[in-house]
Each structure stands twice: as structure tokens, then as C-alpha cells.
């Protein structure tokens, strides 16, 4: 699959900044003029977390009212939806009522989990997987059934998978819960392009940036994103801030808060762990990988990926997209070369199977590559460098959601030839797939 790039404008939650957009074409192999660094540089002041009493973090009124409601795709094809919520004071009901505009109400029942982390005790976390839904259909749902504080939401299932099915994804990475995070999410909600599903590139709450990995920040983050994540699926990628490995306070089980709070449909793609899996949405096949799980030879993630890529039927889902957290190509002085070992392991597979796009977070800025590969590298020679490759993906880093650690604005110089565009500003993106040959990224 080939790519033609054209210039346009990318929205930023903090400022309207000139960015280079992509028009993706399968029939051509032209490249835009690369090597551009935006003249716009956001002021490097530290991002500040919103206070606990901020309106976007508020606890819903009423005793034991469901909160932190969020959804994600519940199966491989888009006919399932995992609905999750928390009741803080007592378990309450795990019953969920759902219905269509003209359909009768149906009931489903979820499971409840809790966890302890250092001195923190979680609320009662509910997960309910709705199955056998109709494609491209609006469903209403109600949680907290049986109590005095039921809450009602809605979602729309994705259309049936097919090669020319239009669909628009939102892309957000490294969000956190700062004032800048709020600007990013507000900008996404008001974006006229209108995302239908968020591809989230890791680093959610940033609880681990606070003393003893303050898990109250997981609760506030869940309430913060509810205004979007309760109404459209967010596809989760785990980042380094989800590891929560803290042996100094007795916490030695990686990913504990994340795996209790955010379920993924990993079993539907025959994965053995919730951190790597795949889903089909519209005309896209989405593969989620874990930068912080083992990926050496013979590891479960690698063996799964080697079996997964040949399964992709490009006549059904022509767009093949991979999500990771740590970027494989990064010309910032932040997290430099951190993704290199994973690139060496997996890049030949992605080029062999002609992946279109690889999205990453981790670096708190924006960068887009040319369509390049470095699969010829051998440790004994070491003389290879990235080269234009029509079979290779375009790599896009978009870890600029607005988190407490602030922007990455220190770039390596000179800008590498493979780097087509880079900018230090907070924001998000959208990817609108039009048909089997065209998509528009901004």
C-alpha cells in the first residue's frame, strides 16, 4: 500500500497550529517534502492537574451512584460492547438494562471486582459484556438498576466490517487529567470531523506521578473521561504509567489498577493477555501491542503477533493499523531509542505484512515519519539507516494529550530525513477512512 501526503491544518487543543496532514492513497507512491519542524512552540510551562473539586471530575449525585462509566469493543467484529462502571459505597446491582429506539428492553449482568493498592481500597468495579448486538445501531443503556440513582447513557455500534466502510477514529495519547488534558478532550468532543471510536495510545491517569501511586487519581480520571468514554468505545493501549510496579510500597504485580478497571476483548483474538489483542472496525484491522510486556523470541506476545498478522484479510479490512506506546522512530531527546528493541523485533513483520500506520504515544509531542523501514540492520555491521520503503508503514507519534509531565520540546538536530513533520504542542488527531483506497488524517 502506497501513500501520498498533502499539506493541511492540524487542530491543537492549545492553539491552532499549522500541521502536515495525510491523504492516504493505495495507488501512488509519492512523498511530500519532509524534514519540517513547526515554527509554533507552545510555552513550556508545567501542566497542572485539575483540582479534585473541578466540575469535570465531580462525583455524580446520590448515594452509590454509578460513576466512571466507560465502554470498549467487546468482541472481534463489533457486535459486542464491554460496559464498565464503579459503585463507590457498596456493590449495588450489576444488572444493566439496554434497548434500541424501537426495541424492547433487555437485561444483562456483569461481574464485580475490587483491588487494594498500598493503603487504597477501590470501589466496586463492574464489567458487563453485551453480546450479539446489531451493527450500526444506537443503543441506550442504564446502570445502577434497582437503586435510586440509575444513570442512562447511549452508544452506537460500528457498521458491519467491509472494505469500503467509512469510519472515523479519534486518536489521543498520554492524556492525564490536567487543564491541558481538559482542553484536548473538549477539542475532540467539539471536532466537526466527529470521531466514532477513540484509539488511545497509552498513559491514562498518571496516578504513579503522585506519592505512593495515589489511586484516587484513577477514580478522578475515570470520571473525567466519562463524558466521552461512556458514549463511544475507547480502544486501550497500555503505557508505562499503567505498569504501577512499586516494590518499595509492596506493590509488585504490574498493571494491577489498569487490568481491574479497563477490560479489553483480548480473548476474542486468541490473545493470552489483555495488553495485546486485535479488533476489526469498519474497513480497519487494529492490532494493539504492549511496549512493556515481553516481546523477545518465543514470548507470548511475539508468538501471538506472528500468528495474528497472517489472519488479516486485506480484501475485507484493507487498512492495517498498529498501536504501541513507545515510538519506534523518534527524533526528540525524550525517550530517545526506548522503542528500538521492539522495532528490531517487530518491524520486519510489519513491513512483510504491509502495515499502513503505526501510532504511538510516550513522547509528549507530535511527529510523523515518511514511509520508511530499517529492516536491513544487522548488529555486526551497524551501517544501515532508515530508507524509503513502499511496503513500510508511516509512523505517527501523538503522545501530546496534555498530561502533568508537560511537553517534549527538545528535539534532536538536525532533523532526520525520515522525519516528515514534528511539533511541540498539545492536541489530538482524527483518522477518517473513506473507502479501501482513501483516508484522511488530521
Amino acid at each position: 500500500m502506497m501513500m501520498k501526503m498533502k499539506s493541511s491544518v492540524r487542530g491543537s487543543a492549545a492553539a491552532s497550529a499549522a500541521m502536515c496532514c495525510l491523504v492516504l492513497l493505495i495507488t501512488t507512491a509519492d512523498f511530500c517534502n519532509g524534514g519540517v519542524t513547526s515554527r509554533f512552540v507552545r510555552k513550556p510551562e508545567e501542566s497542572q492537574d485539575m483540582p479534585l473539586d473541578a466540575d469535570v471530575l465531580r462525583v455524580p449525585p446520590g448515594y452509590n451512584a454509578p460513576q466512571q462509566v466507560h465502554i470498549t469493543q467487546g468482541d472481534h467484529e463489533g457486535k459486542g460492547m464491554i460496559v464498565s462502571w464503579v459503585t463507590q459505597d457498596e456493590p449495588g446491582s450489576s444488572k444493566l438494562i439496554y434497548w434500541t429506539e424501537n426495541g424492547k428492553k433487555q437485561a444483562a449482568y456483569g461481574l464485580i471486582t475490587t483491588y487494594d493498592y498500598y493503603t487504597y481500597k477501590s470501589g466496586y468495579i463492574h464489567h458487563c459484556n453485551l453480546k450479539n448486538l446489531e451493527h450500526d445501531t444506537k443503543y441506550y443503556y442504564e446502570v445502577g438498576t434497582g437503586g435510586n440513582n440509575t444513570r442512562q447513557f447511549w452508544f452506537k455500534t460500528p457498521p458491519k466490517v467491509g472494505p469500503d466502510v467509512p469510519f472515523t477514529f479519534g486518536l489521543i495519547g498520554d492524556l492525564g487529567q490536567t487543564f491541558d488534558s481538559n482542553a484536548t478532550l473538549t477539542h475532540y468532543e467539539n471536532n466537526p470531523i466527529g470521531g466514532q471510536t477513540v484509539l488511545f495510545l497509552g498513559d491514562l491517569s498518571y496516578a504513579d506521578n503522585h506519592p505512593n501511586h495515589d489511586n484516587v487519581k484513577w477514580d478522578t480520571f475515570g470520571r473525567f473521561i466519562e463524558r466521552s468514554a461512556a458514549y463511544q468505545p475507547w480502544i486501550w493501549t497500555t503505557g508505562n504509567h499503567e505498569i504501577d510496579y512499586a516494590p518499595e510500597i509492596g506493590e509488585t504485580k504490574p498493571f494491577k489498577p489498569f487490568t481491574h478497571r479497563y477490560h479489553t476483548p483480548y480473548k476474542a483474538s486468541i490473545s493470552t493477555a489483555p495488553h495485546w489483542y486485535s479488533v476489526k472496525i469498519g474497513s480497519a484491522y487494529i492490532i494493539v501491542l504492549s511496549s512493556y510486556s515481553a516481546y523477545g523470541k518465543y514470548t507470548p506476545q511475539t508468538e501471538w503477533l506472528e500468528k495474528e498478522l497472517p489472519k488479516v484479510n486485506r480484501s475485507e479490512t484493507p487498512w492495517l493499523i498498529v498501536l504501541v506506546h513507545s515510538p519506534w522512530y523518534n527524533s526528540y531527546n525524550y525517550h530517545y531509542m526506548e522503542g528500538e528493541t521492539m522495532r528490531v523485533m517487530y518491524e520486519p513483520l510489519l513491513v512483510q505484512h504491509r502495515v499502513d500506520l503505526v501510532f504511538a504515544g510516550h513522547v509528549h509531542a507530535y511527529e510523523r515519519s515518511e514511509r520508511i523501514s530499517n529492516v536491513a540492520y544487522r548488529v555486526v555491521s551497524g551501517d544501515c539507516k532508515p530508507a524509503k520503503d513502499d511496503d513500510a508503514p508511516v509512523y505517527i507519534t501523538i503522545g501530546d494529550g496534555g498530561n502533568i509531565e508537560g511537553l517534549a520540546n527538545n528535539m534532536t538536530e538536525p532533523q532526520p530525513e525520515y522525519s516528515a513533520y514534528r511539533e511541540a504542542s498539545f492536541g489530538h488527531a482524527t483518522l477518517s477512512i473513506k473507502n479501501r483506497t482513501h483516508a484522511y488524517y488530521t
Side-chain angles (χ1 to χ4, degrees), residues 381-401:
S381 61
D383 57 359
C384 188
K385 66 178 182 179
K388 290 185 177 181
D389 186 339
D390 291 343
D391 290 334
V394 165
Y395 294 87
I396 296 178
T397 298
I398 187 167
D400 51 4

Side-chain angles (χ1 to χ4, degrees), residues 57-342:
L57 307 181
R58 65 182 180 273
V59 177
Y63 173 75
N64 209 41
Q67 59 172 278
Q68 304 174 51
V69 182
H70 58 272
I71 63 175
T72 192
Q73 187 160 310
D75 67 354
H76 205 238
E77 303 285 338
K79 296 188 70 176
M81 199 71 71
I82 300 172
V83 182
S84 305
W85 69 96
V86 175
T87 49
Q88 197 62 43
D89 304 299
E90 59 180 271
S93 174
S94 62
K95 183 179 181 180
L96 181 148
I97 302 296
Y98 64 104
W99 65 96
T100 60
E101 190 75 51
N102 299 312
K104 64 178 183 179
K105 292 186 176 181
Q106 302 180 68
Y109 295 85
L111 301 174
I112 300 176
T113 183
T114 62
Y115 73 93
D116 297 338
Y117 192 95
Y118 192 46
T119 60
Y120 170 88
K121 293 184 181 297
S122 75
Y124 300 89
I125 305 166
H126 303 248
H127 299 287
C128 184
N129 196 349
L130 306 181
K131 301 178 180 180
N132 300 315
L133 303 175
E134 297 295 323
H135 282 295
D136 202 18
T137 301
K138 187 174 184 179
Y139 284 87
Y140 300 89
Y141 68 98
E142 183 178 275
V143 291
T145 301
N148 297 321
N149 301 299
T150 58
R151 299 183 68 202
Q152 189 178 117
F153 304 88
W154 58 266
F155 62 81
K156 190 174 182 181
T157 52
K160 186 177 180 180
V161 172
D164 292 305
V165 176
F167 199 86
T168 299
F169 296 98
L171 291 127
I172 302 174
D174 301 66
L175 184 59
Q177 45 195 304
T178 69
F179 291 101
D180 291 302
S181 312
N182 190 42
T184 294
L185 192 54
T186 300
H187 193 277
Y188 173 68
E189 293 173 302
N190 295 331
N191 193 313
I193 295 176
Q196 299 163 266
T197 288
V198 170
L199 304 180
F200 192 86
L201 301 165
D203 286 359
L204 284 70
S205 71
Y206 285 79
D208 63 343
N209 272 51
H210 299 270
N212 300 317
H213 294 232
D214 183 4
N215 271 228
V216 169
K217 302 299 288 187
W218 278 103
D219 293 319
T220 53
F221 179 81
R223 294 196 292 270
F224 168 52
I225 66 168
E226 183 186 86
R227 70 203 214 213
S228 172
Y231 296 94
Q232 62 176 250
W234 285 38
I235 306 300
W236 300 107
T237 310
T238 48
N240 55 298
H241 287 279
E242 281 69 74
I243 300 174
D244 280 305
Y245 174 74
E248 68 277 7
I249 56 173
E251 293 296 342
T252 58
K253 186 176 181 179
F255 302 106
K256 184 199 281 188
F258 175 87
T259 52
H260 278 82
R261 293 173 179 271
Y262 293 92
H263 280 194
T264 66
Y266 69 98
K267 292 181 180 179
S269 54
I270 321 179
S271 168
T272 55
H275 313 300
W276 58 88
Y277 61 97
S278 68
V279 290
K280 293 191 284 189
I281 304 175
S283 58
Y285 202 104
I286 312 294
I287 291 179
V288 179
L289 298 176
S290 176
S291 296
Y292 303 98
S293 301
Y295 46 77
K297 192 70 175 173
Y298 312 120
T299 60
Q301 182 170 202
T302 298
E303 291 196 349
W304 174 82
L305 182 62
E306 289 173 342
K307 294 176 182 177
E308 184 69 14
L309 283 167
K311 294 179 182 178
V312 182
N313 179 358
R314 302 302 276 271
S315 63
E316 178 192 49
T317 50
W319 295 95
L320 181 52
I321 299 169
V322 171
L323 312 182
V324 297
H325 182 66
S326 185
W328 299 354
Y329 289 93
N330 166 34
S331 69
Y332 287 79
N333 284 316
Y334 300 83
H335 305 301
Y336 183 62
M337 296 287 283
E338 282 187 26
E340 181 65 4
T341 53
M342 194 179 203

